[in-house]
Amino acid sequence: MSKSLEGKLVVAISSRALFDFEEENKVFEDSDDRAYMDLQLSRLDVPAKPGVAYPLVKKLLAFNTETDNRVAVVILSRNDPVSGLRVFRSAQEANLQLERGVFTRGRNPYPYLTSLGANLFLSAKEEDVRAALNAGFAAARVYPDSAVAADRHPDEIRIAFDGDAVLFSDEAERIYAARGLEAFQAHEIERAAIPLPPGPFKPLLEALKPLQAQPAGAPMRVRTALVTARSAPAHERAIRTLMAWNIQVDEAMFLGGLEKADFLREFEPDFFFDDQTGYCDTAARVGPTGHVVSGVKNEVGGPRPSDR
């Protein structure tokens, strides 16, 4: 009987997001894939250092027990199969229970997200992330040079999300971009009782609900936070939307344009997702960060309004 990933939280991750392959990637960019393959092969017995998403993956896999596997992490990489050997060896050395991998040698791997039923895709390559988002998957471009604090909150995985264009659609963000803050506030007050359309990361929150339902005293818990530039009175629609979805977040920060990194420093997330590069740039100095390349502020060739 074939195995199935149905009912599990499935995270697809590129090798460069999981491990620190920045030096090897520079060889690829400066030369070609053959030089990259040769370098990876020469380092086959040298375990790779943890990458930006390593702590997140390690904590997610901690939800699995001998009798109940709730999380599946799959390597989904542009690497060639030979270079994939080092990925699996590094995972084994780090005691990460990874069983599955898809290696496409330069081709965009996003089409395999459907076969995997992936709930999240993390990659360092923007092209792959855009394609995944356009196909309806929660995806983010990781910042490989994000600051990573080791072993903080070992019994709790903390994930922080921006609101508009991440958890919610960019409906309201487009009003702000086109007509400014006053029109945005009026739009949200008028529609306070109408739930916002879902954004690309709403399905991920849905998939996290079984993990959030862990009983008190469980060895691993989930804590989530909404970290948004919205402020009162536009906060109400965001809260009502989550209520309508029957989704709970543990913390909500309505910052009215204040620097998010200052608050993320206190929350200490294992990962933060935002659609605006300005916030991502500063957040990456605090902790692991992913750029959700969606919404009006990330349209190719479109307007790039200043971060709100």
Side-chain angles (χ1 to χ4, degrees), residues 76-95:
L76 188 58
S77 172
R78 283 178 177 255
N79 271 355
D80 62 280
V82 173
S83 299
L85 287 175
R86 189 179 180 209
V87 177
F88 276 115
R89 284 201 182 183
S90 297
Q92 184 177 20
E93 182 70 22
N95 199 29

Side-chain angles (χ1 to χ4, degrees), residues 36-92:
Y36 175 87
M37 290 169 58
D38 290 342
L39 178 59
Q40 289 284 36
L41 189 58
S42 72
R43 296 179 174 180
L44 192 58
D45 296 321
V46 180
K49 296 178 181 178
V52 61
Y54 179 93
L56 177 73
V57 167
K58 184 177 181 181
K59 286 187 176 183
L60 284 172
L61 290 173
F63 280 96
N64 293 338
T65 66
E66 292 183 1
T67 58
D68 187 12
N69 287 336
R70 298 186 171 194
V71 177
V73 177
V74 182
I75 302 297
L76 188 58
S77 172
R78 283 178 177 255
N79 271 355
D80 62 280
V82 173
S83 299
L85 287 175
R86 189 179 180 209
V87 177
F88 276 115
R89 284 201 182 183
S90 297
Q92 184 177 20

Side-chain angles (χ1 to χ4, degrees), residues 213-228:
Q214 290 279 84
M220 184 61 69
R221 302 293 301 276
V222 176
R223 188 169 186 84
T224 56
L226 169 64
V227 184
T228 173

